[in-house]
Amino acid sequence: MFHIWYFWIGLIASAGISVFTIPQLINLIKTRNTAFINIPMYAIYLVGCFAFLLGGILMACDTSNPNRLASGLPLIIAQSICGCVSSIIFCWKIKNYRRAKKAMMTELDYCKKVKDIYDGYQQQVKSLSQSQGNKSNQHANGSHMNKTKKLNKTQEIQEVK
């Protein structure tokens, strides 16, 4: 019975650790700005995540511990999530850092440029989808107009005769 409390306490703590990186990823997706992310901090954090993941796997595989899944599973779940999210952030940071350096710009200026390009692209897609909607309406109206023109021409021909 006591090992169930270990499991739930570990799961709650693991959930808290897992959720900690998600706001940074959401902010990164929205702003596309990695200039304020610290490379050494994320590198150290990733090493810690993978060390905890390995520790959780070793705990879950320890046959001498009767509560091995209760103690290892929360670590495995949490550190898998943290490791994945932090790896995405870290790789995005390194990519932007290298591209900014290659472009001979500061990373902040590079991120602003990328954001402007992305926003411009989103505006083009939005205006294109709106114009496609307008064209489909025009086609629907145009086919009606063509029928009206044909009827008018037929009436004109009949009037001339």
Side-chain angles (χ1 to χ4, degrees):
M1 181 68 180
F2 192 64
H3 70 279
I4 292 174
W5 289 107
Y6 284 157
F7 176 78
W8 285 108
I9 290 171
L11 200 59
I12 291 168
S14 298
I17 291 171
S18 298
V19 171
F20 141 79
T21 54
I22 293 174
Q24 181 69 46
L25 181 63
I26 292 169
N27 186 33
L28 183 60
I29 291 168
K30 285 181 182 177
T31 64
R32 303 205 177 280
N33 187 357
T34 58
F36 302 107
I37 295 174
N38 191 342
I39 292 175
M41 191 279 299
Y42 265 91
I44 293 168
Y45 183 71
L46 279 172
V47 169
C49 281
F50 290 117
F52 269 119
L53 178 62
L54 181 62
I57 292 170
L58 291 175
M59 271 190 226
C61 293
D62 183 16
T63 56
S64 65
N65 183 0
N67 302 324
R68 60 182 180 262
L69 285 179
S71 58
L73 192 60
L75 272 177
I76 293 170
I77 293 169
Q79 298 311 318
S80 296
I81 294 169
C82 285
C84 289
V85 172
S86 295
S87 295
I88 292 168
I89 294 170
F90 185 72
C91 290
W92 203 334
K93 167 67 176 178
I94 295 296
K95 178 190 75 159
N96 282 352
Y97 178 77
R98 286 184 178 169
R99 288 183 178 175
K101 201 168 193 175
K102 187 176 180 181
M104 292 188 231
M105 303 170 77
T106 65
E107 189 177 355
L108 183 60
D109 291 337
Y110 176 78
C111 291
K112 286 180 182 177
K113 183 179 176 183
V114 169
K115 176 75 171 141
D116 290 342
I117 291 170
Y118 180 76
D119 288 344
Y121 173 74
Q122 290 292 5
Q123 289 295 333
Q124 286 177 351
V125 169
K126 191 175 184 181
S127 66
L128 183 63
S129 66
Q130 287 175 349
S131 68
Q132 290 294 332
N134 291 341
K135 284 184 181 178
S136 65
N137 289 342
Q138 289 173 355
H139 286 299
N141 292 339
S143 64
H144 175 55
M145 296 290 281
N146 288 337
K147 289 178 185 176
T148 307
K149 285 180 184 178
K150 287 179 185 177
L151 288 174
N152 289 340
K153 284 184 181 179
T154 309
Q155 288 173 351
E156 287 174 12
I157 292 171
Q158 289 176 354
E159 287 175 5
V160 170
K161 289 184 179 178

